[in-house]
Amino acid sequence: MAPPTPVDVITRDEIETITGATAFDAVAKLRPRYLLKPPSSDGHDVSLIVYVNSVLVGGVSALRDVPLATVKRIEYFDGPHATSRWGPGHEQGALLVITERSG
């Protein structure tokens, strides 16, 4: 049996089952646990980081700027795997939104 993948994917097929206008709507309806902020052990704010087509766009609110009709998939990376891929500052993890305009 293969080990679990560190990446959880929201597929286009899943996205097509919901109503909504933005990538935020898809995450909120299909994987709301991504949006829960765990308590920080050292007192500073810990936020989920969002990338669109591998470009850093900000925090969770940036998902509201991505039209759902353009989204091919959304990949969630947990904190350790996001840090491994993009570097420090990804304690809560990261979302990578892949759109049809990704090239």
Side-chain angles (χ1 to χ4, degrees):
M1 176 181 258
T5 178
V7 179
D8 184 27
V9 178
I10 298 174
T11 66
R12 183 69 205 164
D13 287 342
E14 288 178 281
I15 291 167
E16 289 176 355
T17 68
I18 65 160
T19 57
T22 69
F24 181 88
D25 297 324
V27 172
K29 291 177 182 177
L30 296 169
R31 302 289 195 290
R33 69 182 182 273
Y34 296 169
L35 303 177
L36 299 176
K37 289 177 91 172
S40 173
S41 61
D42 60 3
H44 72 278
D45 190 29
V46 178
S47 298
L48 187 69
I49 306 296
V50 176
Y51 294 84
V52 175
N53 299 325
S54 297
V55 175
L56 174 64
V57 294
V60 170
S61 63
L63 292 170
R64 296 182 191 278
D65 297 329
V66 181
L68 192 56
T70 67
V71 177
K72 291 168 73 174
R73 71 181 182 275
I74 301 171
E75 300 176 356
Y76 170 79
F77 292 79
D78 64 14
H81 290 92
T83 298
S84 167
R85 182 170 177 157
W86 290 289
H90 294 83
E91 290 82 8
Q92 187 176 343
L95 288 175
L96 173 59
V97 180
I98 305 297
T99 69
E100 299 199 11
R101 293 182 273 223
S102 66

